[in-house]
Amino acid sequence: SKSKWSNDAGWMTSSSVCEWYGIVCREGKVTEMTLSFNNLASTLPDELSLLTDLEVLSLSGAAGTGQVKGSLTGSIPSSWGKRMVNLVALELYDNQLSGELPSSLQFLTDLEMLNVDGNKLFGPLPSEIGAMTSLEILDVSSNDFSGPIPTEFGLLTNLLSLKMSGSEFTGFLPTHLGNLKSMKEFHAQNN
């Protein structure tokens, strides 16, 4: 609920949405929503997918080590991948999100950063992530993902950082990860 936010300046008032805390607009359209570390307590609303010009969505929870995790719960709406196709950065780390990572995220072909570290997401990682060829940073650490690492990750040739520690991944590392010549950082311990 909004009343517990750390900063809710302008929200739900008569001021222009472009003047609300955490909102950036370009040409009158919302392009960034940065409400991380703001004590948000809710599920992720499907209606955010109506912000089709959104490029940055940052709804992360904790502000650092030792902080209480955020209170965003529920699953990541599949509609986000189908409608928010201009996203470049999606940060949802350190919350209480659950469910599977939606395969519809494959349609976020401009996405450069996806960080869902520190949630309760589970199931196999969707092989469709391989279609997100603009990805430079992918962090799925500290969740309950399981199964093999999809071979399609080898298609992410722009990937600089891949973090997948602290889950339940099984099997061998796909040889296709050798195609990731730009990768500078890879973490897969504690699986």
Side-chain angles (χ1 to χ4, degrees):
S1 108
K2 182 180 100 43
S3 63
K4 296 179 184 176
W5 289 10
S6 301
N7 188 338
D8 64 359
W11 281 80
M12 308 308 285
T13 66
S14 60
S15 65
S16 164
V17 66
C18 297
E19 296 174 9
W20 296 359
Y21 170 78
I23 300 294
V24 174
C25 294
R26 190 170 47 249
E27 299 175 8
K29 296 179 179 180
V30 176
T31 57
E32 293 184 32
M33 181 180 289
T34 305
L35 296 172
S36 292
F37 324 125
N38 204 33
N39 201 32
L40 303 178
S42 178
T43 57
L44 296 174
D46 183 58
E47 291 80 5
L48 279 179
S49 68
L50 299 175
L51 298 173
T52 56
D53 293 297
L54 205 58
E55 296 172 5
V56 175
L57 180 58
S58 183
L59 302 174
S60 298
T65 305
Q67 297 288 325
V68 176
K69 286 184 175 256
S71 297
L72 291 177
T73 59
S75 60
I76 300 170
S78 63
S79 62
W80 286 16
K82 296 174 186 167
R83 294 189 196 134
M84 298 167 72
V85 295
N86 291 308
L87 274 181
V88 175
L90 179 57
E91 296 181 308
L92 301 171
Y93 62 88
D94 286 339
N95 279 295
Q96 303 290 322
L97 299 174
S98 59
E100 295 188 5
L101 207 56
S103 62
S104 63
L105 294 181
Q106 70 179 310
F107 300 114
L108 303 180
T109 55
D110 291 337
L111 198 70
E112 296 174 2
M113 195 241 315
L114 174 61
N115 188 341
V116 295
D117 173 33
N119 282 287
K120 297 177 179 177
L121 298 168
F122 58 81
L125 286 176
S127 60
E128 291 86 354
I129 288 178
M132 301 168 69
T133 55
S134 295
L135 268 181
E136 296 177 2
I137 298 170
L138 176 59
D139 192 343
V140 296
S141 300
S142 301
N143 280 285
D144 295 316
F145 291 117
S146 60
I149 298 168
T151 58
E152 290 82 358
F153 276 29
L155 300 172
L156 303 175
T157 55
N158 289 313
L159 206 59
L160 301 172
S161 175
L162 176 58
K163 296 180 181 179
M164 45 194 345
S165 300
S167 279
E168 301 293 325
F169 293 111
T170 57
F172 297 99
L173 290 175
T175 57
H176 293 71
L177 291 181
N179 297 338
L180 307 181
K181 306 293 185 204
S182 299
M183 190 165 1
K184 298 183 180 344
E185 186 175 32
F186 176 67
H187 299 272
Q189 63 269 27
N190 300 322
N191 276 293

